[in-house]
Amino acid sequence: MRGSTTKTAALVACGIVCGIILLTGCQHGATGSINGDVFLLMQNGDVKRGAGNTVLLLGPADSVLAMRGRICAAYGQQLVASARQGGNPPDVVGQLDTALLRLTVASSKTGINAHYHFDRVPAGKYILWAETMIGDNNYTWWAPVLVTDGDSVSKDLDNSTEAHVAVYCPQVKDSLAPVLARIVDSLARVRDSVANFATRQRRENWLRCMIQARASLKRADGVVEGDIVDRQRECCSKFPVDPASANRQNP
């Protein structure tokens, strides 16, 4: 899993403790089991098995989905605020990973055979969640499961349950795309306007400085003093303008 970067041992421990409490409290009620293999079939035909991974059991499913919905809604507001401020978009992956870990009721290591197994799971709706990285790409397995009394659920985490993009609020990004585009375009126009205003101001100040320099050193007989070159150099240093604009002005 990507755990070393986004999932802390403390959160995992907390989630598992909560899971133990839940399972212990319900062990005399309806329980079942869940098991399966973890793998991906790549485009080149290779099978990447999820050996040495960790599969997390999140629950109850309704709480998981409700929490995810709240985070995605807040993420949308954060995206708009960030765009208006011209900043970088927030990290929804880290936010969701941290929140999901708090709803972990059990975990299972896959081992070298890439197989996971959960025993004595109280009847109810859950979500199986696992992650891995292959090359530079992140993959997320996300699979709802229903456990009934005495049921043994077999659920492989494979290509059909890989949903990295779908898990991390894609509908929010898609729905806000027109709004975000308008905000970015508006900010660009404001920046251009400010930049153009600054350029105009600099050119006007340069021209005024050049005219004043020429006027102050012009003799009554119309001859321009040699010091005007130094004065005009000072104008160019104080109010730098592009050569093309300076040639057009010719003060």
Side-chain angles (χ1 to χ4, degrees), residues 36-97:
D37 295 327
V38 182
F39 62 92
L40 285 174
L41 176 63
M42 312 307 291
Q43 290 184 346
N44 61 4
D46 290 346
V47 175
K48 300 291 186 181
R49 304 191 68 80
N53 260 39
T54 300
V55 177
L56 300 180
L57 186 65
L58 310 180
D62 290 344
S63 297
V64 175
L65 297 177
M67 178 275 300
R68 178 178 170 274
R70 289 192 297 271
I71 290 180
C72 287
Y75 174 58
Q77 298 174 355
Q78 293 167 3
L79 277 176
V80 173
S82 176
R84 286 173 175 165
Q85 297 169 5
N88 295 322
D91 174 28
V92 71
V93 174
Q95 295 179 45
L96 267 173
D97 282 356

Side-chain angles (χ1 to χ4, degrees), residues 80-162:
V80 173
S82 176
R84 286 173 175 165
Q85 297 169 5
N88 295 322
D91 174 28
V92 71
V93 174
Q95 295 179 45
L96 267 173
D97 282 356
T98 300
L100 290 173
L101 280 169
R102 297 194 180 102
L103 293 176
T104 301
V105 297
S107 68
S108 173
K109 294 287 186 181
T110 56
I112 60 174
N113 61 356
H115 186 80
Y116 76 90
H117 191 95
F118 294 103
D119 282 323
R120 297 188 301 277
V121 179
K125 296 179 180 179
Y126 299 89
I127 292 177
L128 295 164
W129 178 42
E131 295 183 325
T132 192
M133 176 172 279
I134 300 176
D136 295 328
N137 298 315
N138 291 316
Y139 296 91
T140 298
W141 291 282
W142 181 271
V145 290
L146 173 64
V147 178
T148 58
D149 184 12
D151 194 11
S152 178
V153 179
S154 178
K155 185 66 176 179
D156 288 341
L157 299 183
D158 53 19
N159 294 61
S160 67
T161 57
E162 198 288 315

Side-chain angles (χ1 to χ4, degrees), residues 72 75-76 79 89-93 164-181:
C72 287
Y75 174 58
L79 277 176
D91 174 28
V92 71
V93 174
H164 182 78
V165 175
V167 169
Y168 295 104
C169 309
Q171 74 284 359
V172 173
K173 297 178 184 178
D174 293 342
S175 65
L176 289 176
V179 175
L180 297 176

